[in-house]
Amino acid sequence: MSESDLGPDQLEQLREQLASVSAGDVVAEASLSLIALAYVRLGIPPEQHERYRDLVAARLLIDALGGMLSATEGRLGAAEPGLRDALAQLRLAFAEVAEHVESGHRAGTPGPTPEPEPDDPGILRPPSGLWVPGQD
């Protein structure tokens, strides 16, 4: 459905509905999408998502969530503590999955080759790209 399919009254009603949603709610909803897709890319739970495991993509999603939460710190209202907890859980899950995948490599099991990091990703973060406590 496009704008041309809607009558003027329907279009105005849609605009009013969109305008009534708080910016914090939009950021929280976007965060939930990043969280859900990050778990899929981590291959969690394995019985459903292991075939979708892509640690490079998972890392990008987790970093994007961390950046978004850092940029909006203190402005998301009641959803913020839960989102920060979800980010911490994702970071832990990433470390555990990466360790599991690495131990499989050492045992001779082939795995995906991570893409090299760009020289200047345009954001400030620790050189390794891994999360460090106190450096969100």
Side-chain angles (χ1 to χ4, degrees):
M1 180 176 275
S2 67
E3 283 187 30
S4 62
D5 296 334
L6 298 174
D9 290 339
Q10 291 172 316
L11 199 53
E12 184 58 30
Q13 184 180 12
L14 183 59
R15 285 187 188 118
E16 286 182 29
Q17 287 175 345
L18 289 173
S20 70
V21 177
S22 76
D25 288 344
V26 172
V27 172
E29 283 295 321
S31 297
L32 293 176
S33 296
L34 292 171
I35 292 165
L37 190 52
Y39 275 111
V40 169
R41 291 307 194 168
L42 285 171
I44 298 173
E47 60 276 359
Q48 290 178 330
H49 298 128
E50 189 165 24
R51 66 180 178 213
Y52 304 116
R53 182 173 291 152
D54 179 344
L55 294 183
V56 173
R59 181 175 173 185
L60 175 62
L61 293 161
I62 295 167
D63 286 349
L65 177 63
M68 190 164 56
L69 293 180
S70 179
T72 58
E73 187 171 0
R75 299 184 287 159
L76 296 180
E80 190 167 345
L83 293 172
R84 291 198 173 281
D85 183 53
L87 175 60
Q89 294 300 317
L90 273 171
R91 286 173 169 160
L92 265 169
F94 179 89
E96 290 171 358
V97 170
E99 182 179 337
H100 174 75
V101 168
E102 182 61 30
S103 68
H105 285 289
R106 281 184 253 138
T109 305
T113 305
E115 295 176 19
E117 286 290 317
D119 290 336
D120 181 14
I123 59 173
L124 298 175
R125 66 178 186 201
S128 68
L130 294 176
W131 173 74
V132 177
Q135 294 184 8
D136 282 348

